[in-house]
Amino acid sequence: MNTVTTVSNADFLATVAEKSDGAALRGDYSKADAHYVVSQDWAAYTEEEHALWRRLYQRQMALLPGRACDEFIDALQAMNAADGIPEFEKASQQLFAATGWTIVAVPGLIPELTFFEHLANRRFPVTVWLRTPEEFNYIVEPDVFHDFFGHVPMLFNPVFADFIQLYGKGGLKAMQLGGLDQLARLYWYTVEFGLINTPQGLRIYGAGILSSGGEVEYCLTPGTSSRHIHLEIERCLNTLYKIDSYQETYFVIDSFQELFDGTAPDFTPYYDKLKSVSPLSANTLLPHEVELLPAQ
Ligand code: PHE
Ligand code: CO
């Protein structure tokens, strides 16, 4: 969930420098290059960490059939990542052959500018560290399990891969236009918490859900207080989100092509307009909106 930070590069560096004890941001930034890239140092992971990864992986895999979209499940299985924390280099080669994306290792959250630059160049930043066993169910900052397990499989889909690259370019543009808050909401509600409608029913493609122990089931349970509504771009850009609870709104797409086509137009008019409009709360349901997961 890399766009959680809304600070400039300079602010970000100041935060990291001040908190050299690692209290604020986890991860070792001391060896990062100018693009915040580090080496994964795969040999340094302990057997306990690999075992924790296997537990996380198995827990998710027991939940995902019939809930995650086929694109995710098929790519994940082809990646052979069940046995331990994967070697980024190997996965990166596989990914590059499929869609021209690569994986770069990063120490943790990175500044927005850097994040957008990576995406715009078809590089996906993946955090190197793994959560502790105490964080099995809940983690505040993205770790290697969230970033790799949740995000990388979707990048094997050509349309989704192109969408994320355009998102990166759109991020660089939004920084110029004062549209970062709006664009971050779109990322949140699609890349992190998106659902897709299929002939078999709603399925998950958002990494924040796919890597979560509880939300996989919650988001597809009828009758909760959350709504499941069709994605409208301007509506989504203007909707606040919760970072410390299950989502109160899930936006549903009909296809990845729809997502790509809907986000391809120039967002400048949206940003201009939304500057003078108050954002909608996360639990808004507008009069014309239809709940897509009816109570059974
Ligand atoms: N089309 C958007 C713009 O012009 C950029 C964008 C692409 C945003 C894809 C999100 C996803 O700003
Ligand atoms: Co994420």
Side-chain angles (χ1 to χ4, degrees), residues 65-86:
R67 297 193 177 99
C69 66
D70 290 345
E71 289 83 350
F72 178 85
I73 294 194
D74 294 349
L76 182 67
Q77 267 158 2
M79 288 169 61
N80 287 317
D83 295 338
I85 302 171

Side-chain angles (χ1 to χ4, degrees), residues 163 166-167 170 173 183 186 263-267 271:
F163 161 72
L166 276 195
Y167 180 89
K173 190 168 128 187
L183 193 65
L186 180 76
T263 50
D266 181 10
F267 278 16
Y271 299 145

Side-chain angles (χ1 to χ4, degrees), residues 110-184:
I110 58 175
E112 248 142 10
L113 172 63
T114 312
F115 180 63
F116 293 141
E117 282 172 344
H118 282 308
L119 298 188
N121 290 287
R122 292 175 95 84
R123 296 187 298 260
F124 197 82
V126 175
T127 299
V128 291
W129 55 266
L130 182 67
R131 68 193 68 190
T132 67
E134 292 71 38
E135 295 165 314
F136 191 74
N137 287 311
Y138 184 75
I139 175 113
V140 184
E141 286 171 48
D143 71 337
V144 59
F145 187 74
H146 166 79
D147 283 344
F148 190 99
F149 182 96
H151 286 288
V152 175
M154 289 307 301
L155 293 170
F156 279 80
N157 179 268
V159 177
F160 196 80
D162 286 350
F163 161 72
I164 299 286
Q165 178 181 25
L166 276 195
Y167 180 89
K169 292 184 179 171
L172 297 171
K173 190 168 128 187
M175 294 185 84
Q176 309 294 320
L177 297 173
L180 269 190
D181 288 350
Q182 285 75 18
L183 193 65

Side-chain angles (χ1 to χ4, degrees), residues 247-260:
Q247 298 307 302
E248 295 178 334
T249 297
Y250 297 98
F251 286 98
V252 180
I253 58 173
D254 286 329
S255 67
F256 295 117
Q257 194 63 51
E258 181 203 2
L259 179 62
F260 183 92

Side-chain angles (χ1 to χ4, degrees), residues 193-204:
F193 292 96
L195 301 180
I196 183 166
N197 204 6
T198 78
Q200 289 76 39
L202 297 189
R203 295 289 185 271
I204 306 159

